Amino acid sequence: MLSLIVSDFIVPALLAAFIGPAFAMIFAVPRTTLPYIAIGSLLCKLSRDLLLKLDFDVVSSAFCACALVSALFIYLAPKLKFPRPVLLPPCVICLIPGLDAYTALLALLQVVYAQSPELIHQNIITLFAHSMRVLAVLLAIALGIAIPPLFFYRYRYHHF
């Protein structure tokens, strides 16, 4: 039981906690933000994997994980004195569906270079299925980042 928890939740979350700050360093974010990005990445991956284990689909679990981390940084960013767009994108990079994108790309190549109509038909179905999943997850990530500020910053610039 413990090895299942470690292999399914802890190891991927720790890897995400490494990937988020590594991605952030490419864009020269301040060094003091890296621990917060690591924690945000860990929470994002851990919450998505937990929701997947609770039988949520990958799109809604990616949306909820992004919305959770977005809401967290809406609260923390002013206290850290850093803008939220500096902190948030590296945290959600671990949710990008790379395997689906790779499978779609391979299916596209097999459609282009296929010899028989049966292989073309099968690869078009694979291409369409994985491409739609990639697009749906990317849309869920974008909406998960964009929707929480609409609720929390609603009256931010409203003067009475």
Side-chain angles (χ1 to χ4, degrees), residues 8-90:
D8 284 352
F9 294 108
I10 305 296
V11 172
L14 289 176
L15 289 174
F18 175 76
I19 291 169
F23 181 76
M25 285 190 291
I26 294 172
F27 299 102
V29 300
R31 186 176 290 166
T32 57
T33 64
L34 295 179
Y36 300 105
I37 292 171
I39 291 169
S41 300
L42 186 133
L43 286 174
C44 193
K45 181 71 171 164
L46 194 62
S47 62
R48 194 212 51 179
D49 289 347
L50 181 64
L51 289 172
L52 284 174
K53 201 62 145 176
L54 294 172
D55 290 332
F56 280 71
D57 63 308
V58 68
V59 176
S60 60
S61 61
F63 171 77
C64 291
C66 285
L68 172 76
V69 175
S70 181
L72 174 72
F73 281 127
I74 286 171
Y75 175 74
L76 284 180
K79 295 184 183 323
L80 299 173
K81 296 184 173 66
F82 285 106
R84 193 178 63 90
V86 169
L87 300 169
L88 190 58

Side-chain angles (χ1 to χ4, degrees), residues 117-139:
E118 295 85 24
L119 285 176
I120 292 174
H121 179 69
Q122 178 184 359
N123 287 319
I124 286 176
I125 292 171
T126 303
L127 171 67
F128 184 74
H130 287 280
S131 298
M132 288 299 109
R133 189 174 343 179
V134 167
L135 290 174
V137 170
L138 291 177
L139 180 65

